[in-house]
Amino acid sequence: MRALKRPEGINVVPLIDVVLVLLAIVLTISTFVASGAIKLDLPKAASAKETPPQKIEIAISENGVLYWNGKEMSQSELSQVITTLGSDASVSVLGDKKAFFNDFIFILDQLKLQNIEKISIVTKRES
């Protein structure tokens, strides 16, 4: 009976194929992430109106004071103002690092009750 010859080494061709496919996927996805959105050439219309995006900032100070675009508000006032927003509004939430987590959750809860999905949490970059 003759023994089968054992392969001497590792076949790297399939590994190279997998790496090239993964590289292609990463490069494709990174172009969308780098630009932030897919670039579109939108059609023109004479009746189109330009609506400036609302800049909404909600801030929480160290001692729990809430601010709406720099104006101090109570929780009930802030809740009433949030109910006037549409679901397409974009809101930035700024919080002092010593602020209570309960206040932060209150703001997020009020925004989610209005079906607002565009919520950004503002932080400072570590250097």
Side-chain angles (χ1 to χ4, degrees):
M1 194 173 216
R2 194 168 170 197
L4 295 175
K5 187 176 180 184
R6 301 183 93 196
E8 296 181 20
I10 299 173
N11 188 3
V12 294
V13 174
L15 177 66
I16 292 171
D17 291 343
V18 170
V19 170
L20 288 176
V21 168
L22 290 175
L23 181 64
I25 291 171
V26 167
L27 291 176
T28 304
I29 292 173
S30 66
T31 57
F32 292 120
V33 172
S35 66
I38 300 172
K39 294 182 182 181
L40 298 175
D41 187 19
L42 298 174
K44 297 181 180 5
S47 63
K49 296 179 184 176
E50 187 172 327
T51 57
Q54 284 184 307
K55 183 180 177 188
I56 302 168
E57 288 185 352
I58 301 174
I60 311 165
S61 70
E62 178 181 349
N63 53 0
V65 179
L66 303 173
Y67 296 92
W68 172 271
N69 286 337
K71 181 183 172 197
E72 186 176 327
M73 292 191 162
S74 66
Q75 280 191 349
S76 61
E77 291 173 328
L78 184 64
S79 180
Q80 289 175 351
V81 172
I82 289 174
T83 58
T84 64
L85 296 176
S87 63
D88 62 336
S90 178
V91 179
S92 298
V93 180
L94 299 89
D96 190 277
K97 64 181 175 181
K98 295 181 181 175
F100 292 113
F101 191 63
N102 190 38
D103 295 329
F104 180 74
I105 295 300
F106 168 77
I107 292 171
L108 291 182
D109 187 44
Q110 295 300 312
L111 293 171
K112 290 292 184 177
L113 287 173
Q114 288 303 116
N115 295 324
I116 297 173
E117 298 293 329
K118 298 177 189 172
I119 302 170
S120 54
I121 300 169
V122 181
T123 60
K124 185 167 51 170
R125 182 183 299 256
E126 283 187 24
S127 48

